[in-house]
Amino acid sequence: MKRLAKWRLISIFAILSLILSGCGEPFLSTLRPAGEVADIQYDLMKLSTLIMVGVIVVVLVIFFIVMIKFRRKDEKIPKQVEGSHKLEIIWTVIPILLLLLLAVPTVSATFKLADVSPMDKKDSDALVINVRSNLYWWEFEYPGQGIVTGQDLVVPTDEKVYFNLISSDVKHSFWVPAVGGKLDTNTENVNKFWLEFDSARAEEAGDLFYGKCAELCGPSHALMDFKVKTLSRDDFDNWVADMKEVKEPAKADTALAQEGQEIFNQSCISCHAVTPGNTTPPEARFAPNLTNFGERSRIAGVLDHNEEELKNWLRTPEKYKPGNLMTDKYPQLSEEQLDALTAYLMGLKVQE
C-alpha cells in the first residue's frame, strides 16, 4: 500500500513538472529566443536533445527486438559474440560520430559568440556597456555616451551590444534568459560578451525583458533582478540625448516634493546619484543611480513601481531584500517624511 502511494506521488510530481515546464513568459524563457545569441544557443539545445532522444529511441527499439526475438525458449546456449571486431567497431564509431555531430556546431558557435573584437577597436562605433554587479543591484554605465544608470538596462534593437562585466563584491552572473546565456561577473577580472535584441520578439514581450543573477551570491540572490528596456535605434539615440541633457538634479515641482528633496539631500545623496553623468569612481558608487527612478518598471528590481510599494521599501528594505546594504544607512522616517520622499523620487524623470 505504501509503495502504491509512493508511486502515485511520483506520478503526480512528474505530471506537474511536465505541465509547469510549458509555462513561461516571452521575456523570461530560454525556449522563446529573442536574439541572435539566443537563437544559436537554442539551436544547439535542439540538436543535443535530438541526438539524445535518437540514441534513447534506437536503444529501446533494439532492446525490445532482442527481448522478444531472442527470449529464452530452451536450454540451448546462443551464439557468443565476445571479441567481435565488427561489433567493437560499430559501438565505438557511432558515439564518435555523434560527438562530432554535436562538437562541430558547438565549437563554431563558441568562437562566434566569443568574438568581441569590435568593442576593442579604436574609434569603434559599437555600443559598449559596463555592467557592475553589487549586493543586490546592478549598475549600467555607457562610457561612450557618458551615462550611468541603475537597475534598468536600456538597449537598441537589431544590433550587437557589447558588455564588460565585473563585480564590486562577490561573484554574480549576468543573465537575460530570453536573449542569451549567462556570464559571470568577477571581482578580479573583466568578462566580455555580446547580445543582440530582436525587435520583433521584443515587441511581443512588450519591449521589456527580465534579467537575473544566475550565481548564488547571498540571501537575496533570487531577488537580484534587473529589467531590459528595448528601443529602436532612433528612440535609443533620443533617450541618450535626453539623459545627457541632465546636468544637475531635477528640481521638485511641488511643495511636498521639495520637502522630499531636502530629506533626500540629508539622508540619501551620499550613496545615490541623481545625475547620469556620474563622475564618481565605479568602486565608490554604493547604490543605484536614481536619475530616472520615476520611469522604472520596478522598485528594487522586484516590487511593483507605485508609491505604496516605494514607501514599504523605504520603511523596511530588509523585509524585501535580506542582507541588502541599504538597511540602517538612514534615520527612521515618519509617515509624513515617507510621503514627501516618495513624491520626490517618483518625480525623477527624464522622459515624460
Side-chain angles (χ1 to χ4, degrees):
M1 197 67 183
K2 289 183 178 180
R3 181 176 295 180
L4 181 61
K6 176 182 177 182
W7 279 107
R8 283 179 178 173
L9 189 61
I10 293 174
S11 299
I12 290 172
F13 277 114
I15 293 171
L16 282 175
S17 299
L18 183 63
I19 294 173
L20 292 175
S21 67
C23 301
E25 298 290 347
F27 51 74
L28 195 57
S29 175
T30 58
L31 302 181
R32 300 182 69 175
E36 184 179 354
V37 175
D39 282 333
I40 293 172
Q41 294 173 339
Y42 185 55
D43 289 341
L44 289 175
M45 289 168 58
K46 290 190 293 184
L47 176 62
S48 59
T49 302
L50 182 64
I51 292 174
M52 289 185 289
V53 171
V55 170
I56 292 172
V57 169
V58 170
V59 170
L60 285 176
V61 169
I62 294 174
F63 172 78
F64 284 112
I65 290 175
V66 171
M67 186 175 67
I68 295 170
K69 186 176 180 180
F70 298 101
R71 65 185 183 277
R72 186 171 182 177
K73 298 177 181 178
D74 49 43
E75 298 299 324
K76 184 180 178 182
I77 298 177
K79 180 183 177 181
Q80 302 300 295
V81 293
E82 181 182 358
S84 171
H85 294 298
K86 182 185 293 186
L87 289 177
E88 293 284 353
I89 292 173
I90 289 175
W91 59 54
T92 300
V93 170
I94 289 179
I96 292 175
L97 293 177
L98 291 176
L99 284 175
L100 287 174
L101 185 61
L102 182 59
V104 171
T106 300
V107 172
S108 175
T110 299
F111 278 97
K112 182 176 182 178
L113 298 180
D115 181 16
V116 293
S117 56
M119 70 184 295
D120 296 323
K121 292 180 180 178
K122 188 176 181 181
D123 301 324
S124 173
D125 293 330
L127 175 61
V128 178
I129 301 176
N130 297 335
V131 177
R132 180 173 286 270
S133 57
N134 308 266
L135 293 169
Y136 296 93
W137 58 279
W138 299 85
E139 178 182 87
F140 307 108
E141 180 180 8
Y142 302 72
Q145 291 72 30
I147 294 172
V148 178
T149 68
Q151 290 299 102
D152 279 15
L153 172 63
V154 181
V155 295
T157 55
D158 299 327
E159 65 179 77
K160 290 182 179 181
V161 180
Y162 295 86
F163 296 91
N164 291 313
L165 307 178
I166 196 167
S167 174
S168 295
D169 32 56
V170 300
K171 183 189 289 289
H172 301 279
S173 194
F174 180 84
W175 187 31
V176 186
V179 185
K182 72 183 184 75
L183 191 62
D184 288 349
T185 63
N186 302 317
T187 57
E188 68 279 1
N189 68 285
V190 176
N191 283 333
K192 301 180 179 184
F193 81 138
W194 61 271
L195 295 172
E196 183 175 342
F197 301 80
D198 182 85
S199 57
R201 293 166 188 172
E203 186 176 353
E204 292 175 9
D207 296 317
L208 191 69
F209 293 104
Y210 279 41
K212 308 285 291 184
C213 174
E215 185 77 28
L216 182 60
C217 54
S220 287
H221 156 69
L223 304 173
M224 191 173 163
D225 293 2
F226 62 94
K227 305 301 175 286
V228 183
K229 183 179 181 182
T230 56
L231 302 172
S232 67
R233 169 43 84 167
D234 289 341
D235 288 341
F236 177 78
D237 290 339
N238 291 335
W239 175 79
V240 169
D242 290 340
M243 291 288 280
K244 293 175 74 170
E245 285 181 3
V246 180
K247 302 298 182 183
E248 58 184 29
K251 300 295 183 182
D253 55 2
T254 66
L256 184 63
Q258 288 173 1
E259 182 184 343
Q261 187 171 16
E262 292 176 4
I263 297 171
F264 183 88
N265 290 338
Q266 294 170 3
S267 304
C268 313
I269 203 167
S270 60
C271 294
H272 291 281
V274 285
T275 55
N278 191 351
T279 57
T280 305
E283 298 80 5
R285 299 171 190 159
F286 301 122
N289 188 297
L290 302 179
T291 300
N292 58 344
F293 178 84
E295 301 170 359
R296 290 185 186 170
S297 56
R298 289 289 188 275
I299 294 169
V302 291
L303 300 176
D304 290 338
H305 194 268
N306 57 55
E307 292 187 0
E308 191 58 39
E309 291 289 17
L310 177 55
K311 292 176 188 178
N312 290 336
W313 168 255
L314 293 172
R315 284 190 195 98
T316 52
E318 188 69 16
K319 176 181 177 181
Y320 299 97
K321 274 193 174 181
N324 77 85
L325 302 182
M326 181 173 166
T327 300
D328 297 331
K329 292 296 191 299
Y330 55 93
Q332 187 70 32
L333 301 173
S334 67
E335 289 301 310
E336 292 76 15
Q337 289 175 316
L338 285 173
D339 290 339
L341 185 55
T342 296
Y344 172 66
L345 291 174
M346 283 299 193
L348 292 176
K349 298 180 180 180
V350 174
Q351 294 179 319
E352 295 296 336

Short mmCIF file of all heavy atoms in Angstrom, two decimals, residues 166-191:
data_model
loop_
_atom_site.label_atom_id
_atom_site.label_comp_id
_atom_site.label_asym_id
_atom_site.label_seq_id
_atom_site.Cartn_x
_atom_site.Cartn_y
_atom_site.Cartn_z
N ILE A 166 31.85 43.05 -14.53
CA ILE A 166 32.71 42.99 -13.35
C ILE A 166 31.83 43.10 -12.12
O ILE A 166 30.69 43.56 -12.18
CB ILE A 166 33.77 44.13 -13.38
CG1 ILE A 166 34.89 43.83 -12.39
CG2 ILE A 166 33.13 45.49 -13.12
CD1 ILE A 166 36.11 44.71 -12.55
N SER A 167 32.36 42.66 -10.98
CA SER A 167 31.61 42.69 -9.73
C SER A 167 32.31 43.57 -8.70
O SER A 167 33.54 43.67 -8.68
CB SER A 167 31.45 41.28 -9.16
OG SER A 167 30.85 41.32 -7.88
N SER A 168 31.52 44.21 -7.84
CA SER A 168 32.07 45.07 -6.79
C SER A 168 32.37 44.30 -5.51
O SER A 168 33.14 44.78 -4.68
CB SER A 168 31.09 46.19 -6.46
OG SER A 168 30.91 47.07 -7.54
N ASP A 169 31.75 43.13 -5.33
CA ASP A 169 31.88 42.47 -4.03
C ASP A 169 32.13 40.96 -4.15
O ASP A 169 33.23 40.50 -3.89
CB ASP A 169 30.63 42.73 -3.17
CG ASP A 169 29.37 42.86 -4.02
OD1 ASP A 169 29.07 41.91 -4.77
OD2 ASP A 169 28.68 43.89 -3.92
N VAL A 170 31.11 40.20 -4.55
CA VAL A 170 31.26 38.75 -4.68
C VAL A 170 30.92 38.35 -6.11
O VAL A 170 30.48 39.17 -6.91
CB VAL A 170 30.35 37.99 -3.69
CG1 VAL A 170 30.70 38.36 -2.26
CG2 VAL A 170 28.88 38.28 -3.97
N LYS A 171 31.10 37.09 -6.43
CA LYS A 171 30.79 36.61 -7.78
C LYS A 171 29.28 36.63 -8.00
O LYS A 171 28.50 36.10 -7.20
CB LYS A 171 31.33 35.20 -7.98
CG LYS A 171 31.09 34.66 -9.41
CD LYS A 171 31.43 33.19 -9.50
CE LYS A 171 32.91 32.95 -9.41
NZ LYS A 171 33.61 33.41 -10.63
N HIS A 172 28.86 37.27 -9.10
CA HIS A 172 27.48 37.24 -9.55
C HIS A 172 27.48 36.68 -10.98
O HIS A 172 28.53 36.29 -11.49
CB HIS A 172 26.86 38.64 -9.54
CG HIS A 172 26.86 39.29 -8.19
ND1 HIS A 172 25.92 39.02 -7.23
CD2 HIS A 172 27.71 40.20 -7.64
CE1 HIS A 172 26.18 39.74 -6.14
NE2 HIS A 172 27.26 40.46 -6.37
N SER A 173 26.34 36.67 -11.62
CA SER A 173 26.27 36.21 -13.00
C SER A 173 25.17 36.95 -13.75
O SER A 173 24.02 36.96 -13.30
CB SER A 173 26.03 34.70 -13.05
OG SER A 173 26.28 34.20 -14.36
N PHE A 174 25.54 37.56 -14.84
CA PHE A 174 24.63 38.38 -15.65
C PHE A 174 23.89 37.50 -16.63
O PHE A 174 24.50 36.78 -17.42
CB PHE A 174 25.47 39.43 -16.40
CG PHE A 174 24.68 40.35 -17.29
CD1 PHE A 174 24.08 41.49 -16.78
CD2 PHE A 174 24.58 40.09 -18.65
CE1 PHE A 174 23.38 42.36 -17.62
CE2 PHE A 174 23.88 40.95 -19.49
CZ PHE A 174 23.27 42.07 -18.97
N TRP A 175 22.54 37.55 -16.59
CA TRP A 175 21.75 36.65 -17.42
C TRP A 175 20.44 37.29 -17.82
O TRP A 175 19.66 37.71 -16.98
CB TRP A 175 21.47 35.35 -16.65
CG TRP A 175 20.81 34.27 -17.46
CD1 TRP A 175 20.95 34.04 -18.79
CD2 TRP A 175 19.93 33.25 -16.97
NE1 TRP A 175 20.21 32.95 -19.18
CE2 TRP A 175 19.57 32.44 -18.08
CE3 TRP A 175 19.40 32.94 -15.73
CZ2 TRP A 175 18.72 31.35 -17.96
CZ3 TRP A 175 18.56 31.85 -15.61
CH2 TRP A 175 18.22 31.06 -16.72
N VAL A 176 20.22 37.37 -19.14
CA VAL A 176 18.92 37.75 -19.68
C VAL A 176 18.39 36.51 -20.39
O VAL A 176 18.74 36.24 -21.54
CB VAL A 176 19.03 38.93 -20.67
CG1 VAL A 176 17.64 39.41 -21.11
CG2 VAL A 176 19.81 40.10 -20.04
N PRO A 177 17.59 35.68 -19.73
CA PRO A 177 17.25 34.34 -20.23
C PRO A 177 16.75 34.29 -21.66
O PRO A 177 17.12 33.39 -22.42
CB PRO A 177 16.16 33.87 -19.25
CG PRO A 177 16.44 34.61 -17.99
CD PRO A 177 16.96 35.94 -18.42
N ALA A 178 15.90 35.23 -22.05
CA ALA A 178 15.31 35.17 -23.39
C ALA A 178 16.28 35.61 -24.48
O ALA A 178 16.02 35.37 -25.66
CB ALA A 178 14.05 36.04 -23.44
N VAL A 179 17.40 36.22 -24.10
CA VAL A 179 18.28 36.84 -25.10
C VAL A 179 19.63 36.16 -25.22
O VAL A 179 20.29 36.23 -26.25
CB VAL A 179 18.46 38.35 -24.80
CG1 VAL A 179 19.27 39.04 -25.88
CG2 VAL A 179 17.10 39.03 -24.66
N GLY A 180 20.07 35.46 -24.18
CA GLY A 180 21.36 34.78 -24.28
C GLY A 180 21.76 34.16 -22.97
O GLY A 180 21.18 34.42 -21.91
N GLY A 181 22.79 33.33 -23.03
CA GLY A 181 23.27 32.63 -21.85
C GLY A 181 23.94 33.54 -20.85
O GLY A 181 24.27 34.69 -21.13
N LYS A 182 24.17 33.01 -19.67
CA LYS A 182 24.73 33.81 -18.58
C LYS A 182 26.26 33.88 -18.68
O LYS A 182 26.90 33.03 -19.31
CB LYS A 182 24.34 33.21 -17.24
CG LYS A 182 25.03 31.89 -16.90
CD LYS A 182 24.52 31.35 -15.59
CE LYS A 182 25.28 30.08 -15.16
NZ LYS A 182 26.62 30.38 -14.67
N LEU A 183 26.81 34.91 -18.04
CA LEU A 183 28.26 35.04 -17.93
C LEU A 183 28.57 35.64 -16.57
O LEU A 183 27.93 36.60 -16.14
CB LEU A 183 28.84 35.91 -19.05
CG LEU A 183 30.36 35.91 -19.18
CD1 LEU A 183 30.88 34.52 -19.53
CD2 LEU A 183 30.82 36.90 -20.25
N ASP A 184 29.58 35.08 -15.89
CA ASP A 184 29.90 35.51 -14.54
C ASP A 184 30.47 36.92 -14.51
O ASP A 184 31.16 37.36 -15.43
CB ASP A 184 30.91 34.55 -13.90
CG ASP A 184 30.29 33.21 -13.54
OD1 ASP A 184 29.05 33.10 -13.59
OD2 ASP A 184 31.05 32.28 -13.23
N THR A 185 30.17 37.61 -13.41
CA THR A 185 30.84 38.88 -13.12
C THR A 185 31.77 38.62 -11.93
O THR A 185 31.31 38.27 -10.85
CB THR A 185 29.82 39.98 -12.77
OG1 THR A 185 29.12 39.62 -11.57
CG2 THR A 185 28.81 40.16 -13.89
N ASN A 186 33.06 38.78 -12.15
CA ASN A 186 34.06 38.50 -11.13
C ASN A 186 34.63 39.79 -10.57
O ASN A 186 34.53 40.86 -11.18
CB ASN A 186 35.19 37.66 -11.72
CG ASN A 186 34.67 36.35 -12.30
OD1 ASN A 186 33.85 35.68 -11.70
ND2 ASN A 186 35.16 35.98 -13.48
N THR A 187 35.26 39.69 -9.43
CA THR A 187 35.86 40.87 -8.81
C THR A 187 37.26 41.15 -9.35
O THR A 187 37.74 42.29 -9.31
CB THR A 187 35.95 40.69 -7.29
OG1 THR A 187 36.70 39.49 -7.01
CG2 THR A 187 34.56 40.56 -6.68
N GLU A 188 37.92 40.11 -9.86
CA GLU A 188 39.34 40.26 -10.21
C GLU A 188 39.60 40.40 -11.71
O GLU A 188 40.72 40.69 -12.12
CB GLU A 188 40.14 39.07 -9.67
CG GLU A 188 39.85 37.72 -10.35
CD GLU A 188 38.61 37.01 -9.84
OE1 GLU A 188 37.95 37.58 -8.95
OE2 GLU A 188 38.31 35.90 -10.33
N ASN A 189 38.58 40.18 -12.54
CA ASN A 189 38.81 40.31 -13.98
C ASN A 189 37.51 40.71 -14.67
O ASN A 189 36.41 40.54 -14.13
CB ASN A 189 39.34 39.00 -14.57
CG ASN A 189 38.30 37.90 -14.55
OD1 ASN A 189 38.02 37.33 -13.51
ND2 ASN A 189 37.70 37.61 -15.70
N VAL A 190 37.65 41.24 -15.88
CA VAL A 190 36.50 41.68 -16.67
C VAL A 190 36.17 40.61 -17.70
O VAL A 190 37.04 40.21 -18.49
CB VAL A 190 36.79 43.02 -17.37
CG1 VAL A 190 35.61 43.43 -18.27
CG2 VAL A 190 37.07 44.12 -16.35
N ASN A 191 34.94 40.16 -17.72
CA ASN A 191 34.45 39.26 -18.77
C ASN A 191 33.72 40.07 -19.83
O ASN A 191 33.05 41.05 -19.51
CB ASN A 191 33.51 38.20 -18.18
CG ASN A 191 34.25 37.10 -17.46
OD1 ASN A 191 35.41 36.80 -17.78
ND2 ASN A 191 33.62 36.47 -16.49
#
